[in-house]
């Protein structure tokens, strides 16, 4: 009986770990997408700033 309980406990822990990994992978994808968006926005505003500087300079 103790061995069965131990196996069930291991299975529960493994399931919880796999679930947590999936959650973290999803969060990582979201953060990578956000980072890409922010990089593109930064480049856009930097280009606009350079254009503005040329007109005023």
């Amino acid at each position: 009986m103790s061995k069965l309980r131990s196996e069930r406990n291991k299975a529960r822990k493994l399931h919880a770990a796999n679930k947590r990994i999936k959650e973290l992978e999803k969060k990582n994808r979201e953060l990578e997408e956000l980072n890409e968006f922010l990089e593109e926005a930064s480049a856009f505003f930097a280009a606009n700033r350079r254009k503005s500087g040329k007109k005023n300079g």
Side-chain angles (χ1 to χ4, degrees), residues 45-57:
F45 287 111
N48 280 349
R49 188 171 186 179
R50 282 191 300 269
K51 288 178 186 176
S52 301
K54 289 181 181 176
K55 289 179 185 175
N56 294 333

Side-chain angles (χ1 to χ4, degrees), residues 3-53:
K3 186 175 181 179
L4 180 59
R5 239 181 289 151
S6 176
E7 291 300 318
R8 285 182 182 162
N9 191 31
K10 286 179 188 177
R12 260 184 282 167
K13 287 181 179 180
L14 182 59
H15 178 72
N18 285 335
K19 183 178 177 184
R20 181 69 176 143
I21 288 169
K22 286 183 188 277
E23 291 170 354
L24 291 171
E25 287 173 340
K26 180 181 178 185
K27 186 66 173 176
N28 191 48
R29 279 191 304 275
E30 291 170 355
L31 291 171
E32 286 174 346
E33 289 173 7
L34 181 58
N35 190 47
E36 185 179 331
F37 169 79
L38 291 173
E39 287 175 356
E40 291 173 4
S42 176
F44 172 80
F45 287 111
N48 280 349
R49 188 171 186 179
R50 282 191 300 269
K51 288 178 186 176
S52 301

